[in-house]
Amino acid sequence: MGVIAQCKLLNGDWRALSGLMSAKESRAELLQKRLTWFGSRLLRVAARLPQNYQAQHIAKQMTRSATAVAANYGEVRGAESRSDFIHKLRVVLKELNETEVWLDLIVQNSWFSPEKLSALVAENQELCRIIAASIKTAGGFHR
């Protein structure tokens, strides 16, 4: 079963992915799926924003940052050295932090209620913690 089909079965809950994970899938592969799921959920939010200039600006910016998260994590998985790995993880963290700003602006402008976005905001925060912990484990926070 493909990732798209799996995500449709999930009805909005990435945690069900772990139950669909095959014995051969690693944590990195599961995180890749989770980041892709996160990006796809944010694309749906962007598509539902009002059609005014301000909201569409936010939609485009959020689309870029949210989809860059999964793409850049794919680059992390192919890192050529530890320093390259840490650098690419930092890029993922920056994109997640940017996405958080766009989500906050969406709520502050009342385009979505805080309740409607709470699961995505919480997921963004959890993904930030996961990526930050990976950077720390790799030795990337000792500057």
Side-chain angles (χ1 to χ4, degrees), residues 1 10 20 28 45 47 58 70 80 87 93 96 107 109 114-115 126 128 132:
M1 176 182 302
L10 299 179
L20 298 172
V45 170
I58 300 299
E80 297 175 2
H87 171 73
L93 186 57
L96 284 166
V107 170
N109 284 285
E115 296 77 28
E126 189 170 335
C128 283

Side-chain angles (χ1 to χ4, degrees), residues 23-40:
K24 293 182 181 180
E25 285 181 307
S26 67
R27 284 183 171 182
E29 290 167 326
L30 181 58
L31 183 55
Q32 181 75 57
K33 287 181 180 183
R34 184 172 171 180
L35 292 167
T36 302
W37 174 88
F38 178 70
S40 72

Side-chain angles (χ1 to χ4, degrees), residues 12-141:
D13 188 2
W14 69 265
R15 287 168 183 85
L17 273 176
S18 61
L20 298 172
M21 188 171 80
S22 72
K24 293 182 181 180
E25 285 181 307
S26 67
R27 284 183 171 182
E29 290 167 326
L30 181 58
L31 183 55
Q32 181 75 57
K33 287 181 180 183
R34 184 172 171 180
L35 292 167
T36 302
W37 174 88
F38 178 70
S40 72
R41 298 297 298 171
L42 288 170
L43 287 174
R44 291 181 193 162
V45 170
R48 291 184 177 101
L49 288 174
Q51 293 301 310
N52 62 49
Y53 175 80
Q54 295 82 1
Q56 287 307 297
H57 174 75
I58 300 299
K60 289 174 187 174
Q61 293 291 90
M62 186 174 68
T63 294
R64 287 182 188 100
S65 66
T67 57
V69 171
N72 284 314
Y73 185 73
E75 291 292 317
V76 167
R77 295 177 63 203
E80 297 175 2
S81 66
R82 188 172 66 82
S83 64
D84 188 37
F85 176 79
I86 292 167
H87 171 73
K88 290 175 191 288
L89 276 175
R90 284 183 175 155
V91 171
V92 172
L93 186 57
K94 286 179 182 182
E95 296 294 348
L96 284 166
N97 288 333
E98 181 180 338
T99 300
E100 182 178 7
V101 171
W102 303 129
L103 288 168
D104 288 345
L105 283 168
I106 289 168
V107 170
Q108 288 177 18
N109 284 285
S110 302
W111 294 324
F112 274 80
S113 70
E115 296 77 28
K116 282 219 179 230
L117 291 183
S118 65
L120 286 172
V121 169
E123 176 67 356
N124 191 76
Q125 291 168 345
E126 189 170 335
L127 290 169
C128 283
R129 286 191 293 273
I130 290 167
I131 298 301
S134 295
I135 293 169
K136 185 176 180 181
T137 299
F141 277 141

